[in-house]
Amino acid sequence: EDNYVVDAKKWKKKGPYTVALCNISVVNSWRVAMVEEFKYEASKHKDIKQVVVTDAANNVAKQIADMEDLITKKVDLIVITAPPTALVPAVEKAVDAGIPVVSFDSVVDSPKVTVKNIADQSEIGEQLAQYIATQLKGKGKVAMLTGIAGTTPGQMRYEGALKVFKKYPGIKVVGQVWTNSAYDQAKRAAENFISANPDLKAIYADGGPSGYGAMQATYEAKRPDIIVVGTGSNGHFNLWKKWRDSGAKVRSFAIQDPPGDSAVALALGMKLLRGQKVQHIEKMKLWTCTDKTLDKVARPDLGDDYINSTFLPEEMKVKLWGKK
Amino acid sequence: MEKVPITKETTVQTNFFRRALNNPGMPIYIILMITWAIGYSVSESFRSPGNLPNLMVQTVAFALAGLAQTYVILAGDVNLGVGGIISIIVCGAPFLMTNTPASMIGMSLVLLLIGAAIGALTGYLLIKIKVEAMVLTLAINFTLLGFALYLMPFPDYTKIIPIDFIRVITGSWGPISYPVVGTVVVAIISWYVLYRTRFGLHLRAIGADKETAFRAGINVTKVKIWAHTITGFLAALSGLFLAGRMGTGDPTAGATFSLDSMTAAVAGGTLFNTGVGSVAGTLGGAFLIVILGNIFNHLGVSTFYQYVFRGALLVVAVAGGAIKKKWQDKAK
Amino acid sequence: MARQSEITATAKSSTGVAGFFKNANNMKLWLWVATLVLIVISGIISPGYVQPENLLRLLRQAVPFGFIAIGQTLAMLTGHVDLSVQSVTVFAGMLGSTYMMGSDANLLSAFILVAGMAATFGLLNGLGITKLGINPFVMTLGTGIMLDGLTMVFTGGATKGTASPILKYIGTGRLFDFFPVSILVWIIASVLVVLILKRTTFGRKVYAVGANKKVAELSGIHADRLIIGVYVISAIMSTIAGFIVCGYIGTGTLDLGDDYKMTSMAAVIMGGTLFRGGVGGYAGTAAAVITITALTGLLTILNISEPMRRMIYGAIILAVLAITSRSKKE
Amino acid sequence: MQEPFLKVTGVCKEFPGVRALDNVSFECLLGSVHALIGENGAGKSTLIKILCGVYQPTRGETCLNGSPVRIEHPDQAAKLGISVIHQELNLLPAFTVAENLFLGHEPSKNLGAIDRGQVRAKAQELLARVGVNVDPDTLVKDLSLAQKQMVEIAKALSQESKIIVMDEPTAALNHNEVEKLMEIIRNLAATNHGVIFISHRLEEVFQVCDTVTVLRDGQLVGTKSISELDMEKIVEMMTGKAILGTRVDGKNPVQQRKLLETRNLSAKSWFHDINITVRAGEIVGLIGLEGQGQREFIRSLYGVVKTTSGQIFVDEQPVTFRNAKDAIRAGLAFVPEERKVEGLCLVLDLLQNMALPTLKDRQRFGFIDVEKERSMGKDLIAALQVHPSNPMHKANNLSGGNQQKIVIAKWLPAKPKVFLFSEPTRGVDIGAKEEIYQLMRSVTDQGAGVLMFSTDMGELLRVCDRILVMYEGHIVKEFRGTEATREMLMTAQWGLA
Ligand SMILES: Nc1ncnc2c1ncn2[C@@H]1O[C@H](COP(=O)(O)OP(=O)(O)OP(=O)(O)O)[C@@H](O)[C@H]1O
Ligand SMILES: Nc1ncnc2c1ncn2[C@@H]1O[C@H](COP(=O)(O)OP(=O)(O)OP(=O)(O)O)[C@@H](O)[C@H]1O
Ligand SMILES: [Mg+2]
Ligand SMILES: [Mg+2]
């Protein structure tokens, strides 16, 4: 799809504004942080008078209904993260009704979406896989823990990783399971893989907190030799640091799409409303953590679920994830 | 306890109001009216003219799935495979349909028959494997969702529903859209089938007391399999509508409908294992699911509290019917 | 009397080995057979998998499920059902870790506080079902959704704090560096539950109320109170499950990988408890919990696609249900 | 001789652990009434269920009109012209009378639509035929037990069958309704139908039946014409011994101690200002037409029906009951009339059933003393001669009389002061009835009191020390058991002086 500059005049509108976040669900910490980022960003704009957040509790039909409700409610801007195809008609209806739509994270797949805020999901998978391949020098058994089955981001990360692994004939993927991006399921799966494959060399975990679950499994099995890569959560980083600092040779790597994408999306939307110049497609920067940056990234004072790439100010981090 | 001396005449008043009041779907309508009144008085955008037509369209998928579930609950079972069937139809539709009228009509029929066949198979397994329907259909649902994922591992934008099909699903006569009319027609037919035909009477009799129905010479196996077949058919109809509304497939689209369909039916006054239920009540139950989300959106209620209210209102909706029944039993 | 002797004869034959297989109540046996088959298959696929060490790990994974299924077994034995188990488990893990803040000093008070709140919802379930006559299915589904909301209201949706060291030890620690502590906890709980169900007046009342509530009431049992009590116990069992998950992964989580409200029902029924109540017990449920966990484990290590995995999972559960239901028939 | 319309030969039926029927042959002619009798558990109902396709026989064959048939489904039985009134009510409470009457064979128009006009008309006609005066659109749950039974009978008549089987149709009926039923049966026979009639009330058998077949322990004892039989002969065929229908009196005279007393007890519309006493060692009977408040009165004494005014005394102490538990604590025990609904947990075993009211007495810290319980169970089963005698047997598989013994047995360890019985021998055979009467006497001999409600006048006359008659919610008459006669009770029941 071609990138272009969005017609600034078309969406210009006088404030104060009502802005909406149309969300599929708040099922995990990343999404919670994402909603908070959105609200925090909104609070920085004096001309926003109301913020509406809808939540479809994972029901696609409900999210379509939510979109229709937002149209009836005549909000001034909709920021959406949704199943990319199912919401196409609803989003187009909104745009046709004169409401600009900015989509991010799981981006709605219609050319009519006013601004697309794309984080390259495939690249997440590629980078994680590349780290493993490089460290293993192209040889060894790898187990894959992927995110939520049937979702586009999950699929794109998985395919990105496979693309890299295919380049190394010496790398053998011994199994892949969808973990629902849940700690407990990821940890159980990792345990089962470690048990079944005594010569396992690495665990690839691209779904939310599943990397933490995987690293707990290697830690408890006393197997620092198994590489664990993931999208990273504070628990992962804390354990990595603790284990490394105790003298073990731990190799790990993490890459995240920051939950602040929602804030960026809102900011871009506000530009539209104010008649400023905005690109149709904005690429989002990914965030990484390596052995070198680990000391700065890990936050033992915050909860395991803390999303380290968040832009939120310190006091909000403490309020949301603080251990006190 | 009964106290009806045999010498005295006992007749039941069959006037309209009494019947309406005794309809198991009554409490849901009272709750709907209260909910409506609250929404109407509190939110300006809720009052806007576009809202009601919206609400009606949004109800369609839940209503059809709820009606599907009503048949089997009335027959003394339950079918948690409804969500799986919807997912399979939603994922299958874009593969099968092309943008010619013949293809769209033909393939719609094929998809409906697939739904019906899955339903029939479910019914058959339930008869063969004498396990509680709740659990057996749960396992079946798992298999069906797996199959949907096989058809479409992720939302695939290259697989789209023909535009004319979408036009039909999203089209309308003025404020009344075609699917809403279709749903009402399905509901009326369902009412007729369930309450005016021998099949419907037999179906409800089985739900009320299988042994008695069997002894009365009713072919329990046949009726149950047919009930599940209709359930599969209506679930597929709900899936077709969803597919048209989304314009594409999505393997996660149906998952929540297994419970949602049951919520619609039960909130609408259909009771487990009694053969007692109400088609109109199911429509009301589906409407309640939708109107709650709608009001929350219009009021801008925090998502966290939305869950709390949604749960509470579900309980209150069913409590209404339960309390009414308790009170009637006591008055006797 | 001629018939009398026949009865004793058949009664005798059903205690023999052949009778054991025929005995109506022995789905448990079939479940153990199923588990064994699953483990043997796993062993053929990857020989390392069936070492005692790894089997213990597998068993450990079943523990939270096992606790949730205790509550579900009790509820279903009384002829009811509890769909709020999943929500309570999440609630307990999230609030538990928030109140605990990683400190052992807070562990007990956090547990009591959270269990108290969960029990309140159990009470609400029980009261709504017995006093208002609300269908158990909808009542517990509704309170479950409410709890989902409250979890987020109380925590803001984010986990603060972590599991305390003792809880982590319970969740992941091993006795003598070998035997997982959580399995021991589960075994103790299971033995207690089986004993309580079979040998105490409370257990008897559970069966009686499930078999026929009216009869139980006319025999002087406060059936409503008992049902309310069962829901409170179920809430507390799910709280324990939530804490154990918290100890296992080190923190509370909004998202459990499995849908325990449905699988717990499946486990209870596979284990031979009648949906209408009055027949069954926890030993069968526990066997089913282990079967399902072993099945999930096996499917994990097989290198097949997710759709296949799900279809196989569904099909195997169907098959086990078919076999167990056959052994239930005479 | 006329060729039998229906004939079964060499039928066997086995249930796990039980042979319910052993090589039984039986035949039924059109235009006659054939009685099928035997003790509880003799296999009567089982034979009937085989005739109508509910069960499949293990062995044996059925012939209809001379040609062999296999009846595999109730539907098929109906088509072959056999309809059955089962021992248990087979009505759907939440459905209308009309729906119930034609269930399975509704008159229909095209496309399977029910012809509601025809249903209504036919229903009214059928209801009139059995003398039940209700609107066909009434819900069955709003009917009295007797009305339900009559609807059940009308349902069997609705199929226009050649053979009509009635399994204990009179158990819930009062005298007048029984008369009405007898008339219907005679009419059926006169119009060339065959009727198979099962009852434990032998008078009824003598009233209408032409032929009698007796079963015992699943075996055929014999088939005889009624003219060859008298009461003693039948009883002997059934039980293998002679039973005398004489009075069952207590060993000791009634004591002065008032165990149960009510003063001006009333409950809403059910009954008003009732004053009764039950003394130690006394059996007090209660009789009344259907719906005169007697059932509710007995239940109110057990805390199940709420009273609105008045006072109950147990052992001369005033008491108030909020529920059954309070009543049990005060020393009452209740044996309800519908044992399968209110008396037994059918899926539990005998021991668990018998232990239920007295769980507390054999426990420490909530744990049950299993040894003590087992021996209690064995003793009770031995004392009451329950068959089968295995305490681990499921209550479901017992015959009616043995089930009733268990319902009574479960109260014995509690040593109640007063037993409240509601229809203690409904559906119970002669032999077991006798045992139950003896049981009632043995508890009164040990100082307890009994208040029993029954519709069986003969039974009240045989065991009661006093008989109270209830009419429109009041006690209208009191008789001494030794002085009362059927005629006296009958006139009093109708509220005539
Ligand atoms: N007929 C039998 N012959 C031999 N052993 C048996 C027999 N029945 C049961 N057992 C053994 O005794 C154990 C206890 O049996 P039982 O059926 O009483 O289990 P339970 O305690 O009732 O379990 P649950 O709580 O699941 O009902 C069984 O696990 C089995 O090993
Ligand atoms: N479904 C069943 N399973 C096992 N045993 C059964 C079953 N039905 C009946 N029996 C047994 O078969 C025998 C015959 O029972 P049946 O009900 O035919 O007796 P009946 O003559 O009708 O007695 P009643 O006068 O009490 O009705 C009894 O011992 C009973 O326990
Ligand atoms: Mg058992
Ligand atoms: Mg019988």
Side-chain angles (χ1 to χ4, degrees):
Chain A
E1 193 180 346
D2 289 338
N3 203 351
Y4 57 86
V5 177
V6 181
D7 179 7
K9 262 179 245 140
K10 186 174 168 196
W11 302 108
K12 186 168 175 181
K13 205 171 175 190
K14 265 223 201 78
Y17 309 108
T18 299
V19 296
L21 172 63
C22 183
N23 185 20
I24 180 74
S25 80
V26 279
V27 69
N28 55 38
S29 210
W30 189 92
R31 302 199 84 83
V32 171
M34 180 274 286
V35 173
E36 292 300 328
E37 296 259 19
F38 183 86
K39 289 190 194 155
Y40 179 70
E41 176 67 27
S43 72
K44 292 199 284 195
H45 297 262
K46 295 281 172 304
D47 47 356
I48 293 179
K49 71 165 192 285
Q50 199 191 354
V51 180
V52 182
V53 180
T54 68
D55 183 288
N58 273 327
N59 186 335
V60 179
K62 165 87 165 64
Q63 196 170 13
I64 295 174
D66 286 342
M67 278 301 286
E68 289 173 348
D69 292 348
L70 292 174
I71 298 169
T72 326
K73 200 174 157 61
K74 298 200 170 73
V75 297
D76 300 302
L77 170 71
I78 297 175
V79 174
I80 183 171
T81 159
T85 55
L87 265 287
V88 169
V91 162
E92 294 183 348
K93 208 162 144 190
V95 175
D96 292 343
I99 303 173
V101 175
V102 182
S103 188
F104 73 102
D105 173 44
S106 186
V107 176
V108 175
D109 217 321
S110 159
K112 280 198 180 175
V113 172
T114 326
V115 174
K116 292 183 177 175
N117 212 357
I118 296 176
D120 193 338
Q121 303 291 344
S122 173
E123 192 188 335
I124 293 179
E126 286 167 33
Q127 286 209 30
L128 291 175
Q130 190 59 58
Y131 178 85
I132 290 176
T134 313
Q135 289 289 324
L136 293 182
K137 302 201 171 62
K139 214 165 138 291
K141 286 190 178 172
V142 181
M144 297 180 75
L145 309 182
T146 45
I148 302 171
T151 61
T152 306
Q155 186 71 18
M156 284 165 73
R157 292 178 191 184
Y158 174 43
E159 283 175 5
L162 279 187
K163 207 165 69 190
V164 173
F165 285 143
K166 285 229 175 78
K167 287 194 272 188
Y168 299 89
I171 284 189
K172 183 165 179 269
V173 176
V174 292
Q176 172 255 336
V177 283
W178 297 93
T179 62
N180 277 328
S181 290
Y183 288 110
D184 62 330
Q185 196 162 332
K187 182 170 176 185
R188 288 197 303 252
E191 284 180 353
N192 291 334
F193 280 126
I194 296 169
S195 298
N197 304 283
D199 51 347
L200 190 71
K201 289 286 184 290
I203 299 176
Y204 163 97
D206 71 15
S210 52
Y212 181 35
M215 187 172 271
Q216 285 188 25
T218 55
Y219 178 75
E220 281 165 32
K222 304 194 180 71
R223 293 284 302 276
D225 56 305
I226 298 178
I227 300 165
V228 176
V229 298
T231 45
S233 64
N234 196 35
H236 180 171
F237 301 127
N238 287 339
L239 180 58
W240 177 5
K241 182 168 150 57
K242 175 178 139 193
W243 201 4
R244 185 193 68 182
D245 293 351
S246 73
K249 188 176 175 297
V250 189
R251 287 173 295 173
S252 185
F253 170 70
I255 182 162
Q256 279 181 5
D257 51 334
D261 291 3
S262 63
V264 175
L266 175 59
L268 290 172
M270 293 309 294
K271 273 185 162 180
L272 278 178
L273 291 177
R274 293 181 190 126
Q276 291 160 0
K277 204 177 84 177
V278 178
Q279 289 280 313
H280 172 58
I281 294 175
E282 287 279 348
K283 284 242 170 179
M284 302 303 297
K285 263 220 292 290
L286 297 172
W287 174 99
T288 58
C289 173
T290 62
D291 203 45
K292 289 200 186 74
T293 54
L294 180 61
D295 285 325
K296 258 188 283 165
V297 167
R299 289 286 302 266
D301 57 323
L302 296 179
D304 290 345
D305 238 2
Y306 163 60
I307 307 295
N308 305 58
S309 61
T310 182
F311 309 150
L312 288 172
E314 187 63 25
E315 71 267 18
M316 284 198 71
K317 290 181 188 168
V318 173
K319 191 183 140 235
L320 274 172
W321 293 284
K323 281 192 178 172
K324 280 189 281 308
Chain B
M1 275 285 86
E2 315 96 341
K3 180 179 174 161
V4 189
I6 190 163
T7 43
K8 281 184 210 151
E9 176 132 348
T10 29
T11 48
V12 161
Q13 294 216 342
T14 46
N15 75 52
F16 177 77
F17 288 106
R18 178 99 184 242
R19 287 235 311 265
L21 264 175
N22 279 333
N23 188 305
M26 201 58 211
I28 191 77
Y29 280 92
I30 293 171
I31 294 203
L32 276 176
M33 282 191 283
I34 297 171
T35 318
W36 185 270
I38 293 173
Y40 197 87
S41 54
V42 177
S43 162
E44 193 194 316
S45 57
F46 183 86
R47 288 194 291 266
S48 68
N51 200 31
L52 184 59
N54 257 355
L55 277 169
M56 291 197 293
V57 183
Q58 292 169 7
T59 306
V60 170
F62 295 98
L64 290 174
L67 286 175
Q69 198 66 267
T70 304
Y71 275 87
V72 274
I73 299 185
L74 281 178
D77 281 342
V78 68
N79 192 338
L80 290 177
V82 164
I85 294 176
I86 292 179
S87 282
I88 285 184
I89 300 304
V90 166
C91 293
F95 280 95
L96 295 180
M97 283 189 197
T98 55
N99 202 10
T100 63
S103 159
M104 284 184 293
I105 294 173
M107 286 308 152
S108 295
L109 282 178
V110 168
L111 287 163
L112 291 175
L113 286 181
I114 290 175
I118 297 172
L121 184 68
T122 307
Y124 177 78
L125 286 175
L126 268 170
I127 298 284
K128 281 288 149 200
I129 307 175
K130 292 191 173 64
V131 174
E132 207 49 56
M134 188 88 80
V135 176
L136 194 90
T137 57
L138 177 69
I140 291 175
N141 190 47
F142 214 86
T143 315
L144 295 178
L145 287 175
F147 188 69
L149 209 56
Y150 170 77
L151 288 175
M152 195 175 272
F154 61 100
D156 187 345
Y157 59 89
T158 61
K159 308 276 188 317
I160 49 168
I161 304 281
I163 186 72
D164 286 338
F165 188 82
I166 298 177
R167 284 213 183 99
V168 173
I169 296 290
T170 53
S172 66
W173 290 294
I176 308 292
S177 73
Y178 302 151
V180 171
V181 177
T183 306
V184 171
V185 170
V186 169
I188 291 172
I189 294 175
S190 291
W191 172 81
Y192 187 81
V193 167
L194 285 168
Y195 292 93
R196 287 292 178 266
T197 67
R198 295 187 66 193
F199 169 74
L201 179 62
H202 293 180
L203 186 152
R204 290 181 292 125
I206 291 170
D209 184 343
K210 202 166 99 187
E211 189 59 31
T212 292
F214 171 70
R215 288 183 183 181
I218 293 171
N219 190 334
V220 176
T221 307
K222 203 169 110 186
V223 173
K224 273 210 171 193
I225 290 180
W226 270 110
H228 280 274
T229 308
I230 295 175
T231 298
F233 182 87
L234 290 181
L237 200 61
S238 178
L240 269 184
F241 165 77
L242 263 185
R245 209 159 139 75
M246 303 189 315
T248 163
D250 184 314
T252 64
T256 54
F257 275 90
S258 291
L259 276 182
D260 286 340
S261 61
M262 208 149 43
T263 310
V266 177
T270 299
L271 303 173
F272 290 103
N273 295 321
T274 55
V276 174
S278 158
V279 168
T282 300
L283 295 186
F287 200 65
L288 183 75
I289 295 178
V290 170
I291 198 176
L292 283 185
N294 184 270
I295 286 185
F296 293 146
N297 287 342
H298 282 288
L299 296 183
V301 175
S302 139
T303 40
F304 295 169
Y305 285 100
Q306 285 193 21
Y307 282 91
V308 183
F309 288 132
R310 221 180 282 163
L313 253 146
L314 178 59
V315 172
V316 171
V318 183
I323 293 169
K324 193 189 107 187
K325 185 165 168 285
K326 258 213 147 137
W327 179 70
Q328 277 178 343
D329 287 353
K330 227 181 218 162
K332 224 182 261 158
Chain C
M1 261 195 210
R3 213 176 55 209
Q4 203 49 41
S5 58
E6 266 169 53
I7 292 166
T8 34
T10 33
K12 234 177 241 154
S13 79
S14 72
T15 56
V17 177
F20 184 63
F21 278 89
K22 276 193 221 145
N23 192 323
N25 210 3
N26 282 327
M27 294 76 157
K28 273 174 269 179
L29 183 90
W30 288 109
L31 290 169
W32 292 122
V33 170
T35 308
L36 211 68
V37 170
L38 290 170
I39 288 173
V40 167
I41 296 175
S42 314
I44 294 168
I45 291 164
S46 63
Y49 192 66
V50 291
Q51 283 163 7
E53 159 72 19
N54 295 332
L55 292 180
L56 284 176
R57 205 172 277 164
L58 196 73
L59 213 52
R60 184 176 78 176
Q61 297 176 354
V63 174
F65 188 10
F67 272 95
I68 290 170
I70 291 177
Q72 194 68 279
T73 305
L74 287 177
M76 291 179 83
L77 275 179
T78 60
H80 293 73
V81 69
D82 188 355
L83 293 185
S84 67
V85 287
Q86 172 100 357
S87 308
V88 174
T89 308
V90 169
F91 177 83
M94 289 288 284
L95 262 75
S97 77
T98 303
Y99 290 131
M100 217 172 333
M101 285 298 165
S103 145
D104 282 339
N106 296 337
L107 176 58
L108 193 64
S109 56
F111 179 76
I112 290 171
L113 189 70
V114 174
M117 288 194 277
T120 313
F121 270 81
L123 192 72
L124 202 66
N125 281 335
L127 286 175
I129 289 161
T130 58
K131 300 298 175 199
L132 301 182
I134 300 176
N135 176 297
F137 195 90
V138 186
M139 180 76 207
T140 54
L141 190 68
T143 50
I145 299 173
M146 280 163 79
L147 265 170
D148 288 345
L150 284 181
T151 305
M152 292 190 277
V153 170
F154 287 159
T155 62
T159 330
K160 303 168 185 66
T162 52
S164 77
I166 291 185
L167 189 57
K168 274 191 184 149
Y169 180 69
I170 293 173
T172 61
R174 285 164 180 255
L175 285 176
F176 314 114
D177 245 4
F178 174 67
F179 197 80
V181 180
S182 59
I183 300 180
L184 191 71
V185 176
W186 185 31
I187 289 176
I188 294 170
S190 302
V191 170
L192 273 178
V193 171
V194 170
L195 256 176
I196 286 171
L197 278 178
K198 294 281 131 141
R199 285 294 165 87
T200 65
T201 54
F202 171 80
R204 278 301 176 74
K205 289 176 190 172
V206 167
Y207 282 95
V209 168
N212 189 328
K213 189 174 167 207
K214 186 92 208 190
V215 172
E217 276 170 348
L218 289 178
S219 305
I221 292 169
H222 286 301
D224 285 355
R225 253 185 241 175
L226 185 105
I227 292 164
I228 294 168
V230 160
Y231 275 104
V232 169
I233 294 174
S234 175
I236 293 173
M237 289 302 138
S238 296
T239 306
I240 295 177
F243 269 72
I244 290 180
V245 173
C246 181
Y248 177 61
I249 59 178
T251 176
T253 173
L254 265 185
D255 190 19
L256 291 173
D258 290 303
D259 184 359
Y260 287 120
K261 60 177 172 288
M262 289 302 173
T263 42
S264 64
M265 260 171 36
V268 172
I269 287 177
M270 279 166 73
T273 295
L274 280 192
F275 199 73
R276 272 158 286 140
V279 175
Y282 186 65
T285 305
V289 163
I290 293 171
T291 309
I292 292 176
T293 310
L295 176 60
T296 317
L298 170 62
L299 287 175
T300 306
I301 62 168
L302 286 180
N303 195 7
I304 48 174
S305 73
E306 183 69 16
M308 258 335 210
R309 193 173 280 140
R310 291 195 187 188
M311 285 188 269
I312 292 174
Y313 181 90
I316 289 185
I317 301 273
L318 274 177
V320 173
L321 284 172
I323 294 170
T324 51
S325 81
R326 171 133 334 143
S327 75
K328 201 161 31 175
K329 270 182 270 173
E330 19 264 57
Chain D
M1 220 187 110
Q2 195 189 338
E3 176 68 20
F5 181 73
L6 174 73
K7 189 173 167 188
V8 292
T9 32
V11 168
C12 294
K13 175 69 188 175
E14 282 170 18
F15 293 111
V18 187
R19 179 168 293 166
L21 289 176
D22 187 5
N23 198 21
V24 171
S25 300
F26 175 80
E27 52 193 45
C28 179
L29 299 135
L30 294 185
S32 89
V33 183
H34 197 138
L36 186 59
I37 59 177
E39 298 191 282
N40 292 121
K44 307 179 293 292
S45 301
T46 307
L47 182 59
I48 295 317
K49 286 177 186 166
I50 286 173
L51 285 182
C52 68
V54 170
Y55 290 158
Q56 296 304 310
T58 315
R59 215 151 21 84
E61 88 168 4
T62 310
C63 288
L64 206 69
N65 242 342
S67 48
V69 287
R70 272 183 67 86
I71 304 176
E72 285 169 343
H73 191 273
D75 190 25
Q76 204 180 345
K79 287 204 185 98
L80 291 171
I82 304 170
S83 64
V84 182
I85 302 164
H86 287 284
Q87 186 170 0
E88 312 83 28
L89 278 181
N90 276 282
L91 297 174
L92 304 170
F95 288 57
T96 67
V97 170
E99 283 171 334
N100 270 287
L101 282 177
F102 299 105
L103 192 64
H105 54 275
E106 302 80 5
S108 60
K109 299 183 285 197
N110 38 6
L111 281 174
I114 297 171
D115 186 342
R116 306 197 339 131
Q118 210 188 333
V119 165
R120 217 185 134 78
K122 275 193 173 178
Q124 267 162 344
E125 181 194 316
L126 277 167
L127 290 171
R129 195 163 152 202
V130 297
V132 177
N133 197 4
V134 297
D135 187 287
D137 287 336
T138 315
L139 296 184
V140 164
K141 67 176 172 203
D142 294 332
L143 300 184
S144 72
L145 189 57
Q147 286 175 318
K148 285 180 192 159
Q149 185 65 56
M150 294 312 266
V151 169
E152 186 83 79
I153 291 162
K155 184 175 160 187
L157 298 180
S158 74
Q159 305 197 37
E160 324 263 324
S161 297
K162 288 313 269 179
I163 299 239
I164 292 167
V165 187
M166 303 186 177
D167 195 348
E168 298 196 37
T170 55
L173 301 186
N174 68 28
H175 183 77
N176 274 51
E177 291 151 350
V178 171
E179 284 305 318
K180 177 86 202 168
L181 179 64
M182 294 298 141
E183 191 189 314
I184 294 170
I185 292 176
R186 280 191 208 102
N187 256 327
L188 284 170
T191 51
N192 204 32
H193 290 78
V195 178
I196 301 173
F197 181 78
I198 299 177
S199 175
H200 288 295
R201 299 184 185 171
L202 295 183
E203 318 91 77
E204 293 166 5
V205 172
F206 281 99
Q207 262 184 317
V208 288
C209 297
D210 306 309
T211 323
V212 178
T213 292
V214 180
L215 296 181
R216 193 196 311 157
D217 284 344
Q219 287 170 331
L220 185 68
V221 177
T223 300
K224 289 211 163 84
S225 161
I226 193 83
S227 52
E228 304 168 44
L229 294 167
D230 58 28
M231 196 67 97
E232 278 88 74
K233 275 191 194 143
I234 288 194
V235 170
E236 204 174 328
M237 279 172 87
M238 283 169 64
T239 60
K241 56 185 179 254
I243 286 177
L244 312 164
T246 51
R247 261 191 74 82
V248 188
D249 281 312
K251 284 205 197 91
N252 318 314
V254 173
Q255 299 168 30
Q256 272 311 304
R257 191 170 153 210
K258 290 183 197 165
L259 290 181
L260 179 68
E261 187 182 4
T262 65
R263 289 193 201 144
N264 297 325
L265 200 65
S266 307
K268 248 198 330 203
S269 51
W270 304 121
F271 53 84
H272 319 279
D273 298 324
I274 304 244
N275 296 294
I276 61 145
T277 48
V278 178
R279 291 169 197 275
E282 187 180 34
I283 298 181
V284 177
L286 192 59
I287 191 169
L289 299 173
E290 177 69 35
Q292 304 301 312
Q294 63 275 44
R295 280 175 218 278
E296 291 73 22
F297 173 60
I298 281 221
R299 280 167 177 267
S300 75
L301 295 177
Y302 197 63
V304 183
V305 167
K306 294 267 169 295
T307 52
T308 41
S309 65
Q311 182 66 52
I312 305 171
F313 296 84
V314 175
D315 221 355
E316 314 199 347
Q317 300 299 315
V319 287
T320 28
F321 302 144
R322 283 159 305 160
N323 50 38
K325 191 165 189 173
D326 291 348
I328 295 167
R329 211 175 281 147
L332 298 184
F334 177 56
V335 177
E337 66 246 34
E338 290 191 65
R339 61 180 157 265
K340 289 192 170 182
V341 182
E342 300 190 327
L344 286 172
C345 294
L346 292 171
V347 295
L348 299 186
D349 60 35
L350 304 185
L351 186 57
Q352 283 172 320
N353 270 293
M354 290 188 293
L356 208 51
T358 50
L359 282 174
K360 262 218 185 97
D361 302 345
R362 292 173 303 276
Q363 55 101 29
R364 278 182 86 185
F365 312 118
F367 278 83
I368 295 167
D369 183 337
V370 180
E371 279 311 309
K372 215 164 156 187
E373 184 175 282
R374 215 166 278 163
S375 76
M376 173 205 78
K378 275 200 190 118
D379 292 350
L380 284 175
I381 284 179
L384 274 65
Q385 299 177 25
V386 178
H387 298 300
S389 62
N390 178 4
M392 299 305 175
H393 214 80
K394 291 262 177 291
N396 202 10
N397 301 342
L398 253 59
S399 69
N402 283 307
Q403 283 183 342
Q404 190 69 354
K405 286 186 198 168
I406 298 291
V407 179
I408 299 174
K410 72 181 197 180
W411 291 110
L412 297 180
K415 301 213 185 335
K417 293 177 184 141
V418 180
F419 284 80
L420 306 169
F421 284 100
S422 197
E423 303 267 26
T425 62
R426 172 186 295 171
V428 167
D429 72 58
I430 287 210
K433 254 185 200 168
E434 236 28 68
E435 290 173 39
I436 288 171
Y437 299 151
Q438 296 300 341
L439 202 64
M440 290 165 101
R441 267 309 170 195
S442 82
V443 297
T444 53
D445 285 345
Q446 286 162 28
V450 168
L451 177 65
M452 71 184 269
F453 156 67
S454 173
T455 45
D456 184 341
M457 274 185 250
E459 160 172 304
L460 291 170
L461 292 170
R462 284 187 60 200
V463 293
C464 293
D465 296 304
R466 279 188 297 135
I467 303 171
L468 310 173
V469 183
M470 229 170 145
Y471 180 72
E472 293 201 329
H474 295 276
I475 303 278
V476 289
K477 209 70 176 180
E478 175 174 339
F479 297 100
R480 300 186 71 80
T482 44
E483 290 164 2
T485 62
R486 275 171 187 274
E487 290 68 33
M488 289 158 78
L489 291 181
M490 198 95 80
T491 39
Q493 270 191 68
W494 284 99
L496 311 169

